Amino acid sequence: MAALLKIRAGRDQMSAIERRIADFILDNAQLLRDYSSQQLANALGISQSSVVKFCQKLGFKGYPDLKYSVGEAIARADNGDEANDADAPEADGDGGLAVDLWRCKSEAQEETRSINPPEAVEAVAAAITRAGDRGKVFIIGLGEDDIHARAFALRLSLLGILTVHNFDTAHMTASVSAAAAGDVLLAFSEHGKQASLCHISRLFRERRGTVVTITRHSSNPLRAYADLALLVSAHDERPHVEPLLYHSALQHLLDRVFVLLCEAGRTEQLQANLERIQPMLEG
């Protein structure tokens, strides 16, 4: 969905009013065909000219051009879903579901890649590299977010980077007292709304450390404390599918960071640690 992808990709560089328009379109794409530019402006409490300028800034001729592009993209997606359902083998009920899930995951990964340009991912990898050379990397995630936090902490350890991983906020708050300038905090939070993580991030910045947040691309309180931010875009109307897309896209994003870290001269350390661990896994 090129039009919506363009809006998501540019959202973080938009003004406050532009973000309000972007969020409304992203959340109500199916309803956009029923809105005129004036109705959209009235719904958001802004001027019609703001809507027109928003469209033109994204490269569209005007609001009708944007609305047509969004509607066309939605129609193509709907037709594609129907084709997948029609082509699914009758004897294999999972066949169509597997194809659809693969397609949705691919789209989520592509959208996530587009809103995390190479320079943003490289900046995170560089910060972790510097911390690994002379300091520590603190990692925290609560609930399901800890799945990725824990796995990434292990990967960093294999690269010889000193990590302080915790899923207990009280313990991490105490640990942050040992943080120093140049250390990095990786805060995993899908929705970025936990007040405890905001508190820890604020304390970490007071210690002159670098805060990296890993959240959805939507605006959230935790991102306000970020020096660097990794963003995930994963959307689906099915509540049992959307979390799968989020985890898939997030994992792909973390893999990009890990590969950069490896190629920054840590492959020998990785191989040495894997060889040390292997006898324990075989035993």
Side-chain angles (χ1 to χ4, degrees):
M1 303 176 77
L4 298 181
L5 181 57
K6 184 182 291 188
I7 293 173
R8 288 195 184 104
R11 185 188 179 282
D12 281 353
Q13 285 71 50
M14 295 177 184
S15 66
I17 290 179
E18 290 169 344
R19 284 198 298 271
R20 287 174 61 193
I21 300 172
D23 290 342
F24 184 90
I25 294 174
L26 292 173
D27 293 339
N28 302 278
Q30 296 280 1
L31 304 177
L32 199 63
R33 62 186 178 185
D34 298 324
Y35 279 80
S36 67
S37 58
Q38 186 61 62
Q39 288 172 322
L40 177 58
N42 291 342
L44 295 172
I46 59 177
S47 67
Q48 185 180 22
S49 63
S50 295
V51 175
V52 175
K53 290 177 182 178
F54 171 84
C55 299
Q56 294 173 339
K57 187 174 180 179
L58 288 173
F60 297 99
K61 295 178 181 179
Y63 179 74
D65 187 27
L66 170 64
K67 185 164 70 169
Y68 176 79
S69 181
V70 171
E72 188 180 51
I74 292 174
R76 281 200 304 269
D78 289 343
N79 289 336
D81 289 341
E82 291 170 5
N84 285 336
D85 291 341
D87 294 340
E90 292 184 6
D92 183 6
D94 177 58
L97 291 175
V99 171
D100 178 65
L101 184 59
W102 177 84
R103 177 183 59 78
C104 291
K105 284 186 175 182
S106 298
E107 289 177 355
Q109 290 177 11
E110 176 60 24
E111 289 187 10
T112 297
R113 186 194 63 78
S114 70
I115 61 177
N116 293 277
E119 55 269 23
V121 181
E122 290 167 3
V124 172
I128 294 174
T129 296
R130 290 192 296 269
D133 289 339
R134 60 178 184 270
K136 302 175 290 298
V137 177
F138 295 74
I139 303 179
I140 186 169
L142 307 181
E144 286 196 18
D145 292 308
D146 184 54
I147 296 173
H148 291 283
R150 183 184 298 271
F152 198 65
L154 174 59
R155 284 187 169 189
L156 294 188
S157 296
L158 290 173
L159 294 178
I161 296 174
L162 178 59
T163 62
V164 180
H165 165 253
N166 228 306
F167 56 86
D168 180 272
T169 54
H171 194 175
M172 181 58 88
T173 299
S175 297
V176 163
S177 64
D183 287 349
V184 170
L185 169 67
L186 299 177
F188 288 75
S189 177
E190 179 176 355
H191 300 289
K193 295 180 179 180
Q194 294 102 324
S196 56
L197 293 186
C198 293
H199 176 68
I200 289 170
S201 298
R202 180 178 61 79
L203 293 177
F204 200 83
R205 294 191 67 176
E206 290 177 358
R207 304 290 299 178
R208 297 171 57 201
T210 298
V211 176
V212 179
T213 60
I214 303 96
T215 70
R216 283 189 173 274
H217 67 88
S218 56
S219 178
N220 60 72
L222 183 59
R223 282 179 61 188
Y225 295 93
D227 297 295
L228 300 169
L230 293 176
L231 308 174
V232 179
S233 177
H235 305 275
D236 198 282
E237 294 180 355
R238 296 164 292 181
H240 59 289
V241 172
E242 188 170 60
L244 305 180
L245 305 186
Y246 177 83
H247 289 298
S248 175
L250 173 55
Q251 187 58 61
H252 185 70
L253 179 58
L254 294 176
D255 288 345
R256 289 174 62 189
V257 176
F258 180 72
V259 169
L260 286 173
L261 292 172
C262 290
E263 294 181 350
R266 293 183 178 272
T267 51
E268 290 186 8
Q269 182 69 62
L270 173 64
Q271 187 60 40
N273 280 331
L274 289 174
E275 290 176 358
R276 292 189 186 98
I277 291 174
Q278 193 59 37
M280 288 180 277
L281 297 177
E282 293 175 348

